């Protein structure tokens, strides 16, 4: 039985990965502080990754799947671990500067992105130190991830608007594009990497097709059994104060992914799964005050017949 170490393992990405490899018959170890419910079927290593001590000394695994945010996290893990054959880092599309020609391709230079700033530059440093220490490690750069167990208030925000039958305050005309990737597609792709072991080490991942904000909101309302009433927001206000995405459109070239895994979950199907989970697990989502901002700044204007 092959062994995999998943850092984290209790929320969204890392939890989905731990559960996926348990189902695949792997011996799964998770590394976390044991402050949340653990996935079934895993071996818990209870430790803070910044103070590992002897927690994983001598542990040898076939694969490490790491969601590290910084170079320090990568270094500490590699220094403490007994050894591993494969290492997979879940990085981010935030490593690409916003001023590059799109779609972003894996061979393009990385650099600071003004929309992501430190999050992106920290991920760049994590990638760089990993490539120095394990040149054959795989690095995965996803766009917006979605699906069951998503604790980030993205589709959940739209579901809340739909379930309350609220008007939806749409950024401008809603034409800004978004690129998504279902969490189970991420898990499947990692499984494919470990099976096929391609020589290329860096992969953008995501749905090949983009969707506009308006289309995405319509799909979220649709799976909740509702139809949105849109109110365009024309005010020069930062979009992230009332909507769950920054005012930043980007696209990843995912042709390398599609060579290995040509099929991805249709967005409507994935959102149905997200909604089914969200209805019963809202307490696990870190909600942000979008609705409060809308009620304080926009609704009075809309009620008098104007745009926000």
């Amino acid at each position: 039985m092959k062994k995999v170490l998943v850092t984290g393992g209790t929320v969204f990405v890392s939890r989905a990965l731990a559960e996926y490899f348990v189902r695949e018959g792997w011996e799964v170890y998770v590394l976390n502080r044991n402050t949340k419910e653990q996935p079934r079927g895993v071996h818990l290593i209870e430790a803070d990754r910044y103070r590992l001590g002897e927690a994983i000394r001598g542990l040898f695994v076939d694969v490490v799947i790491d969601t590290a945010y910084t170079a320090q996290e990568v270094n500490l893990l590699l220094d403490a671990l007994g050894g591993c054959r494969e290492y997979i880092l879940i990085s981010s599309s935030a490593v690409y500067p916003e001023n590059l020609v799109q779609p972003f391709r894996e061979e393009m230079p990385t650099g600071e992105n003004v929309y992501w700033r430190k999050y992106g530059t920290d991920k760049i440093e994590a990638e760089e130190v990993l490539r120095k220490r394990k040149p054959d490690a795989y690095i995965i750069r996803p766009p917006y991830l979605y699906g069951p167990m998503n604790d980030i208030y993205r589709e959940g925000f739209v579901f809340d608007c739909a379930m309350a039958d609220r008007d939806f305050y749409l950024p401008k005309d809603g034409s800004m594009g978004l690129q998504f990737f279902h969490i189970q597609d991420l898990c499947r792709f990692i499984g494919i990497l470990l099976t096929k072991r391609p020589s290329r080490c860096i992969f953008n991942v995501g749905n090949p097709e983009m969707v506009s904000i308006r289309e995405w909101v319509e799909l979220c309302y649709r799976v909740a059994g509702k139809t949105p009433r849109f109110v365009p927001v024309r005010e020069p206000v930062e979009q992230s104060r009332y909507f769950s995405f920054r005012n930043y459109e980007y696209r990843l070239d995912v042709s390398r992914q599609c060579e290995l895994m040509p099929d991805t979950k249709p967005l409507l199907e994935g959102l149905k799964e997200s909604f089914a989970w969200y209805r019963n697990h809202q307490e696990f989502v870190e909600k942000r005050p979008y609705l409060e901002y809308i009620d304080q700044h926009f609704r009075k204007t809309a009620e008098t017949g104007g745009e926000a």
Side-chain angles (χ1 to χ4, degrees):
M1 184 182 294
K2 291 185 177 180
K3 295 181 180 180
V4 58
L5 172 65
V6 178
T7 58
T10 59
V11 295
F12 195 30
V13 175
S14 60
R15 188 181 189 95
L17 286 163
E19 293 181 352
Y20 174 83
F21 280 96
V22 168
R23 291 194 301 271
E24 291 294 302
W26 287 55
E27 187 175 359
V28 179
Y29 292 80
V30 294
L31 172 65
N32 60 67
R33 293 174 295 169
N34 198 22
T35 60
K36 296 184 172 82
E37 181 184 1
Q38 301 297 324
R40 292 183 180 180
V42 303
H43 302 282
L44 170 64
I45 301 172
E46 184 176 341
D48 186 323
R49 71 177 297 162
Y50 283 93
R51 289 178 288 276
L52 287 169
E54 299 297 313
I56 57 174
R57 190 75 62 192
L59 176 66
F60 185 91
V61 294
D62 295 283
V63 183
V64 170
I65 304 178
D66 194 4
T67 56
Y69 291 97
T70 67
Q72 182 185 10
E73 291 180 354
V74 173
N75 275 324
L76 289 172
L77 187 67
L78 285 172
D79 289 344
L81 186 66
C84 66
R85 291 190 178 92
E86 306 274 4
Y87 199 118
I88 297 175
L89 174 66
I90 311 298
S91 185
S92 171
S93 56
V95 301
Y96 295 110
E98 78 289 345
N99 55 9
L100 294 178
V101 176
Q102 296 190 29
F104 299 143
R105 301 186 306 278
E106 292 91 341
E107 62 270 18
M108 286 181 167
T110 59
E112 182 180 10
N113 183 301
V114 298
Y115 294 95
W116 294 104
R117 298 193 182 278
K118 189 175 188 301
Y119 172 74
T121 54
D122 282 349
K123 282 288 191 180
I124 291 170
E125 292 174 2
E127 287 188 8
E128 289 174 347
V129 73
L130 178 60
R131 293 180 71 185
K132 287 179 182 177
R133 297 191 61 169
K134 287 193 72 67
D136 59 347
Y138 289 115
I139 293 170
I140 298 177
R141 296 170 178 168
Y144 296 115
L145 293 168
Y146 79 106
M149 297 189 293
N150 189 2
D151 58 331
I152 302 174
Y153 197 40
R154 287 177 179 156
E155 60 261 37
F157 162 61
V158 187
F159 294 152
D160 278 346
C161 293
M163 288 187 291
D165 202 25
R166 294 174 62 105
D167 293 342
F168 195 86
Y169 288 77
L170 190 70
K172 300 177 183 177
D173 63 356
S175 63
M176 190 185 92
L178 299 168
Q179 189 173 22
F180 291 99
F181 199 47
H182 193 277
I183 185 61
Q184 288 303 314
D185 283 337
L186 176 68
C187 295
R188 283 199 307 124
F189 184 70
I190 289 175
I192 289 170
L193 283 183
L194 294 174
T195 300
K196 296 189 175 181
R197 289 182 168 79
S199 58
R200 289 174 173 172
C201 293
I202 301 177
F203 288 88
N204 293 337
V205 295
N207 294 347
E209 67 279 356
M210 299 279 285
V211 62
S212 71
I213 291 175
R214 186 185 187 99
E215 292 167 334
W216 179 70
V217 172
E218 288 172 340
L219 288 174
C220 289
Y221 269 70
R222 179 177 170 184
V223 301
K226 301 291 181 69
T227 301
R229 300 180 302 272
F230 288 115
V231 179
V233 176
R234 307 295 185 185
E235 283 191 11
V237 58
E238 173 51 47
Q239 181 172 300
S240 61
R241 302 189 72 172
Y242 65 92
F243 183 60
S244 47
F245 294 93
R246 292 175 171 86
N247 183 22
Y248 170 49
E249 177 179 312
Y250 69 91
R251 181 170 187 166
L252 299 175
D253 181 330
V254 295
S255 55
R256 289 184 182 176
Q257 166 207 305
C258 291
E259 291 173 2
L260 297 173
M261 189 182 79
D263 60 314
T264 56
K265 188 181 291 290
L267 188 56
L268 178 61
E269 181 182 336
L271 287 172
K272 287 179 180 177
E273 296 175 2
S274 294
F275 182 63
W277 178 85
Y278 183 74
R279 283 184 299 178
N280 299 310
H281 301 90
Q282 294 188 39
E283 69 274 16
F284 296 108
V285 178
E286 297 183 15
K287 296 193 177 186
R288 299 187 64 185
Y290 304 129
L291 297 176
E292 290 87 342
Y293 186 90
I294 289 167
D295 290 344
Q296 292 175 13
H297 295 273
F298 295 156
R299 291 192 75 181
K300 288 184 180 179
T301 301
E303 287 166 0
T304 61
E307 295 179 342

